[in-house]
Amino acid sequence: MMIHFLRRLRIDTYILAILGMVAVAAILPARGVGQDILDIVVHAAIALLFFLYGARISRQAIWAGILHWRLQTLVFVTTFLLFPLIGLAITALVAGHVDDGLVTGLMFLCLLPSTVQSSIAFTSIARGNVPAALCCASLSNLAGVVVTPLLATLFLRAGTAGTLSLDAIGDIALQILLPFVIGQAARPWLGHWLERHRTLTMLVDRGSILLVVYSAFSAGVVAGIWNRVTPQSLMLVLLLDAALLAVVLAITTTASRLLHFSREDEIAIVFCGSKKSMASGLPMANILFPASAVGLIVLPLMLFHQLQLMVCAALARRYGRRPDA
């Protein structure tokens, strides 16, 4: 009854669910053993999600995604060229007005690869080109292990930016590629059943995102980084993050249409090209920066992460409501 009432008011119930996860994390963040259990659950949810994708997606569609070089190139340029250029403009604008750690954090945010799990989940919810999104997001993360530290040496002068983390590659392989390959192997037995029960994949899509939101916000609350900046600085960073996201969403949407991509390809480009990965960013920050500075530097990333989930959830629902061709 309440859901129908909210829909009549044009209030997106999924956005309310995400905000609810943020509120729960602020009041009851996962700590200690609870956080360890939550991490296991999140990893399991992501693995299940990609197992289901593997079982649903045909191999022909996967190869088409890999060979879609125009789409892959546009997402790569957006992630590792457009974002850094905008980051340079933003940091030049705010330097001297906010803490240097936040300025560094804003630039670091712009150097990161795209997210994997949420990019593909939102592409699926929006009924976009999921195989292409899977390839874009995975290749972005793998490239980011090398490209992000190299860009950091150019823009951040971190001193230790030449150190690379092989754990990031292992995490991608274990959490995403391995379940996907197992799903592909199981496709002959599960593929048709999953096509008839798409609600299952939708529930895993959205449920996994809610878990990621709660886990990410819990980590921030427990670390106490929300209390280390003034409300004015926090609001300024939030506004800059929102402006950054809005500009990139507008550019990726416009570029997709000017280059005559299909609507399904446009969806993959918009969701893969506009996101930044906190899962990759936090481990990289621990390598690139002194331990005492990491908490402040990753604050813009954590705020951007929450914004991109909320905005892209609403955008995915809007795309998903379009009539079938």
Side-chain angles (χ1 to χ4, degrees):
M1 194 73 172
M2 179 61 69
I3 292 176
H4 292 301
F5 175 71
L6 292 172
R7 284 176 177 169
R8 289 182 63 184
L9 294 178
R10 296 185 178 180
I11 297 176
D12 195 315
T13 53
Y14 189 49
I15 294 296
L16 291 180
I18 290 177
L19 291 174
M21 289 294 100
V22 172
V24 172
I27 298 170
L28 295 171
R31 301 175 184 270
V33 176
Q35 181 64 51
D36 294 338
I37 295 173
L38 179 62
D39 288 342
I40 294 172
V41 172
V42 169
H43 282 72
I46 293 172
L48 175 60
L49 178 65
F50 283 93
F51 170 79
L52 294 177
Y53 283 142
R56 282 186 56 186
I57 298 173
S58 69
R59 288 172 188 167
Q60 292 84 353
I62 293 171
W63 278 113
I66 293 174
L67 297 176
H68 200 337
W69 64 269
R70 292 175 65 243
L71 186 150
Q72 304 289 344
T73 301
L74 181 55
V75 172
F76 191 89
V77 168
T78 300
T79 302
F80 295 115
L81 181 60
L82 176 63
F83 259 109
L85 290 176
I86 297 174
L88 286 175
I90 290 176
T91 53
L93 182 66
V94 301
H97 299 285
V98 296
D99 187 281
D100 288 344
L102 293 176
V103 176
T104 300
L106 286 166
M107 190 67 227
F108 176 64
L109 159 66
C110 294
L111 306 181
L112 291 171
S114 178
T115 61
V116 178
Q117 183 249 349
S118 60
S119 293
I120 299 168
F122 285 136
T123 300
S124 176
I125 292 170
R127 296 190 289 132
N129 189 339
V130 174
L134 172 65
C135 297
C136 279
S138 298
L139 291 174
S140 175
N141 262 255
L142 289 170
V145 175
V146 176
V147 175
T148 295
L150 290 177
L151 291 175
T153 62
L154 295 175
F155 297 118
L156 299 178
R157 299 177 183 174
T160 59
T163 306
L164 301 180
S165 172
L166 297 179
D167 291 341
I169 297 177
D171 288 342
I172 291 173
L174 289 176
Q175 291 187 53
I176 295 167
L177 297 182
L178 180 59
F180 185 84
V181 169
I182 295 173
Q184 277 282 290
R187 176 173 167 75
W189 299 277
L190 294 178
H192 294 297
W193 185 85
L194 289 173
E195 285 296 326
R196 295 194 303 269
H197 299 83
R198 295 191 176 189
T199 303
L200 174 62
T201 308
M202 181 189 71
L203 290 174
V204 177
D205 275 346
R206 299 181 182 183
S208 60
I209 289 175
L210 293 178
L211 284 172
V212 169
V213 171
Y214 176 72
S215 178
F217 207 87
S218 282
V221 171
V222 172
I225 65 173
W226 309 107
N227 301 320
R228 296 175 59 181
V229 293
T230 64
Q232 294 84 355
S233 295
L234 187 65
M235 182 57 64
L236 178 59
V237 171
L238 185 61
L239 290 174
L240 290 171
D241 277 351
L244 175 63
L245 180 60
V247 168
V248 175
L249 284 172
I251 291 175
T252 51
T253 302
T254 302
S256 300
R257 294 176 183 178
L258 289 176
L259 294 173
H260 304 293
F261 284 98
S262 68
R263 184 55 57 90
E264 289 73 20
D265 287 348
E266 174 191 320
I267 290 168
I269 292 167
V270 167
F271 287 128
C272 294
S274 64
K275 291 205 178 54
K276 290 296 181 178
S277 173
M278 191 168 71
S280 297
L282 294 181
M284 287 185 184
N286 287 325
I287 294 172
L288 297 172
F289 307 107
S292 59
V294 169
L296 197 59
I297 289 172
V298 300
L299 181 56
L301 171 60
M302 296 193 72
L303 292 174
F304 188 86
H305 185 77
Q306 308 304 323
L307 278 173
Q308 71 184 9
L309 289 175
M310 294 177 189
V311 171
C312 290
L315 189 58
R317 293 290 295 275
R318 182 178 177 182
Y319 271 124
R321 286 195 292 266
R322 73 187 187 281
D324 290 323

